[in-house]
Amino acid sequence: PLDADVVLAAGGDRRAFERIYRAHVGRVFALCVRMVGDAGAAEELTQDVFVRAWDKLALYRGDSALSTWLHRLAVN
């Protein structure tokens, strides 16, 4: 079953998405820093990942952990 915040956020609940963001932003940022080697660029990429996550969250089916899905968004 999908996490309640994922369901709410996929339906447009910004507060639920903010909770998801806060739970995962550190890990996504760290990944982006490792990929680009620059904190400033990593901050921008992290923002891009979460903008895409907001747009695509309804497509997340829960086949993997949300952190894995976000990791894949960041790498792509």
Side-chain angles (χ1 to χ4, degrees), residues 29-42 45:
F29 175 72
L31 172 63
C32 290
V33 168
R34 286 193 306 273
M35 288 192 305
V36 299
D38 175 75
L45 290 172

Side-chain angles (χ1 to χ4, degrees), residues 10-34:
D13 186 321
R14 291 182 182 272
R15 288 185 182 196
F17 188 76
E18 184 177 326
R19 289 188 294 271
I20 291 168
Y21 172 84
R22 288 177 191 231
H24 296 278
V25 67
R27 186 174 298 138
V28 171
F29 175 72
L31 172 63
C32 290
V33 168
R34 286 193 306 273

Side-chain angles (χ1 to χ4, degrees), residues 1 8 10 15-16 19 23 29 32 35 40 44 47 50 60 69 75:
L8 291 169
R15 288 185 182 196
R19 289 188 294 271
F29 175 72
C32 290
M35 288 192 305
E44 289 184 32
Q47 292 246 341
F50 282 98
Y60 172 68
W69 185 78
V75 170

Side-chain angles (χ1 to χ4, degrees), residues 57-75:
L57 196 56
L59 301 176
Y60 172 68
R61 297 186 317 259
D63 295 339
S64 61
L66 183 61
S67 59
T68 302
W69 185 78
L70 289 168
H71 182 280
R72 181 57 32 210
L73 277 179
V75 170

